Amino acid sequence: MTSTVKAQKNQMIEKKIDSIISLLTLEEKVAMCHAQSKFSTPGVARLGIPEVWMSDGPHGVRAEINWDNWGYAEWTNDSITAFPALTCLASTFNPKLAKEYGFSIGEEARYRKKDVLLGPGVNIYRTPYNGRNFEYMGEDPYLASKLVVPYIKGVQENGVAACVKHFVLNNQEHLRDKINVEVSDRALYEIYLPAFKAAVKEGNTWAIMGAYNKFRGKYTTHNPTLHKILKTDWEFDGVVISDWSSAHSTKEAALYGLDMEMGTGTDGLGTTTLNHYSNYYLATPFLKAIKKGEIEESVVDNKVRRILRLMLRTNMSDNRPFGRMNNVEHHNVARNVATEGIVLLKNKDNFFPIEDEKGLTIAVIGENATRSMTAGGGSSELKPQFEISPLEGLKARYKNAKIVHAMGFASGPSIYDEVLPSPYDADSLKIEAIKVAKKADIVLFVGGLNKSHLQDCEGEDRKQFELPFGQDELLNEITAVNKNVGVVLLTGNAVEMSWLDKINGLIQGWYLGSMAGDALADVISGDVNPSGKLPFSFPTKLKDNAAHHFGELSYPGDGTNQYYKEDILVGYRWHDTKKIKPLFAFGEGMSYTSFELSDFKLNKKTYSKGEQVVISGAVSNTGNTDGAEVIQVYVGKPKSKVKRALKELKGFKKMVLKKSTSQSVEISIYVNDLAFYDENISDWNLEKGNYIAYIGNASNNISKTIKFEVE
């Protein structure tokens, strides 16, 4: 019954679109396919067809930008809730929370009268140098797929389109608009496409954003191969929107699937007419090509059909909610995502949690304790209504202990495409920090990266694996005068940790948004038991990362071409298969309590195509604190006829358990999902024979292995 009603509704929508297209002139149809301002496309005023308004923001709705330049419009009513970065969301391993995140950000976008939210991002974490990794969901395609779908559904329940980006292989910022990526079909289908496919087939996303780079010699935004995959193989019925200036050809944009061209050039109505909106590839040149008969009018009709379908789902919908912004529910979601995403990585002698005791002096050292982490980063930069810093959060939580602060190190302001120097004297900051550290009972070093150029920022990649601004040297000097040191890293990337053996505690904190300080204080104090798990591997040294192992041609490329020589062995797949021990593994994360996995078994020993492997067992909280654990199921195929990773994540479940209690858990895996992409037949191939299920709570901590057979 439901499917019949849905089909009838779709037929009505398509008939309505037919009737509108018949009323449009060719000029009006072409105009709908390209921008009229930095973030909008024109409507058709005489017919009451509205403009389409877009906003950056996988982590929050960006402040208003001027009509025709990149300056901020300085509105007073565009401050929003900043949600944690998507690396943090990925660390939660919690699809329910992803839905709440998406719904909340969708409400804020709707309240701000946006029709398209330019996010989420699901590009795969391939190198720790990628400046935009913080915007994505980690190194594993299965994890990203399971979190992107509820995020999309949450956003779109508000009548706002999610625009999943960047399709595809935009896995570095260095030379992003020039580099040609050469990658095998197998790696493309098994590693880089699955999250996009899930977004389309399961999430029913209404928009996809093209990427900057080339793939096999053609720009990805209008690429024949990708166009076929997206619109024919996956039957995507939404719009493809260019990333700003990612279109390069009228004919290719017309024929290979670009529907809405945004940001070509940067001048618009400025000092030159070269990049005026009417001169975009899908503007006057497109119109002329149709009039000359070089391109059929049916091509623009298809684009307008998709655009009108987007509108009928968003700004022309009859039952669109009004949205809400900066309400307590959104703040709570932001705080919950942050606390569930924070990852405890080292806890020698139970350094964390830190009790609030009278007579205790805690030295909070580091610029990141007070620096805004919503500013900078490129297009994901936010203007939050408020941002609670780590220092503010700790001071609010710790009423008995004395908290003192020293900056320790400093950097310049975060601006795009330029590194500004620090206004402070580095030696003076260091001397003061050492003095403060000497007198303290506990040192909390709050460091990491920030969202400046050449760090975690759009437009260029990192240049160093170690911590910037002299933090490594500072940490070594602090640990020489105080042996009770814990580190809180605020980053979107893995970093080198030469000082790891000298510290007692380590928290990976991400960029946590408006509620950052409160969330960190929740975990540091023990009010919340950490349950985050790393969504990507931390290599000990840079060469241990697969992309960097193969040298310059693999990353960053020779300036023209780049070859993904690690193929399917990305992240933990590389570390596992090549037996290269990571510093911290994918899926790793500690708790203030202890868990035990027991009695795990499969529902049978032999399976056929189309069936489900059902893994069941018990999880016990054996400690004295309530907590949550993520049960992770990986599957491997020994003696495969093709190269495979030792194991791949195929299922997970987050379990919340009271202290000293047990719960049963069941995780199902579709046998068909064990197939590999067979380049000989250009299709998926389910290999028969023996498989191994690996059950644990991290990729490097497997409690049980169980053999089974696919016949």
Side-chain angles (χ1 to χ4, degrees), residues 383-397:
K383 179 185 174 183
Q385 187 183 46
F386 62 86
E387 180 180 356
I388 301 166
S389 73
L391 184 62
E392 288 172 325
L394 289 165
K395 281 185 170 179
R397 172 59 181 81

Side-chain angles (χ1 to χ4, degrees), residues 156-265:
Q156 293 184 170
E157 280 180 18
N158 294 283
V160 174
C163 183
V164 181
K165 60 188 190 182
H166 307 87
F167 189 67
V168 62
L169 300 167
N170 188 174
N171 304 309
Q172 67 188 58
E173 289 298 283
H174 183 63
L175 296 177
R176 66 181 183 178
D177 55 345
K178 296 180 180 65
I179 203 74
N180 175 52
V181 174
E182 295 291 340
V183 63
S184 72
D185 275 353
R186 197 156 162 226
L188 178 70
Y189 278 90
E190 291 188 18
I191 304 295
Y192 299 102
L193 286 179
F196 289 100
K197 184 178 182 180
V200 171
K201 303 290 281 183
E202 299 171 49
N204 298 310
T205 187
W206 297 337
I208 292 278
M209 181 184 283
Y212 281 115
N213 51 291
K214 294 177 183 176
F215 166 55
R216 294 180 187 163
K218 296 280 188 182
Y219 280 103
T220 47
T221 293
H222 36 66
N223 184 291
T225 303
L226 299 178
H227 171 53
K228 177 186 178 295
I229 290 170
L230 180 63
K231 290 187 172 176
T232 301
D233 299 350
W234 297 350
E235 300 176 319
F236 174 61
D237 70 355
V239 297
V240 173
I241 300 172
S242 70
D243 205 341
W244 272 232
S245 294
S246 74
H248 296 269
S249 160
T250 294
K251 186 175 181 182
E252 290 184 6
L255 298 181
Y256 303 133
L258 178 58
D259 301 306
M260 302 175 83
E261 182 186 358
M262 303 299 296
T264 300

Side-chain angles (χ1 to χ4, degrees), residues 3-22 49 206 237-238 301-302 304-319:
S3 59
T4 304
V5 170
K6 191 175 179 182
Q8 288 173 343
K9 189 179 178 183
N10 288 342
Q11 284 177 353
M12 289 170 60
I13 288 172
E14 296 308 311
K15 281 183 179 176
K16 189 169 185 177
I17 291 171
D18 285 337
S19 67
I20 296 171
I21 289 176
S22 69
I49 297 172
W206 297 337
D237 70 355
D301 287 348
N302 179 274
V304 171
R305 174 174 296 281
R306 290 172 178 276
I307 294 165
L308 288 169
R309 196 180 288 133
L310 173 78
M311 290 180 173
L312 288 165
R313 289 165 166 167
T314 58
N315 58 19
M316 290 170 67
S317 170
D318 293 331
N319 56 350

Side-chain angles (χ1 to χ4, degrees), residues 460-495:
E460 188 50 271
D461 287 343
R462 295 167 63 197
K463 300 296 184 196
Q464 60 184 53
F465 192 36
E466 64 271 19
L467 290 176
F469 318 123
Q471 291 177 76
D472 292 338
E473 185 185 343
L474 175 59
L475 259 171
N476 286 329
E477 294 194 29
I478 288 172
T479 53
V481 300
N482 192 318
K483 301 302 180 190
N484 207 16
V485 178
V487 172
V488 178
L489 286 178
L490 304 184
T491 78
N493 260 310
V495 297

Side-chain angles (χ1 to χ4, degrees), residues 25 63 68 87 163 239 279 399 417 453 532 556 562:
T25 66
D68 197 51
T87 43
C163 183
V239 297
N279 289 325
K399 303 295 188 185
D417 207 28
H453 185 56
Q562 177 182 27

Side-chain angles (χ1 to χ4, degrees), residues 17 239 350 435 531 586:
I17 291 171
V239 297
N350 296 318
K435 190 193 300 181
S531 62
F586 173 85

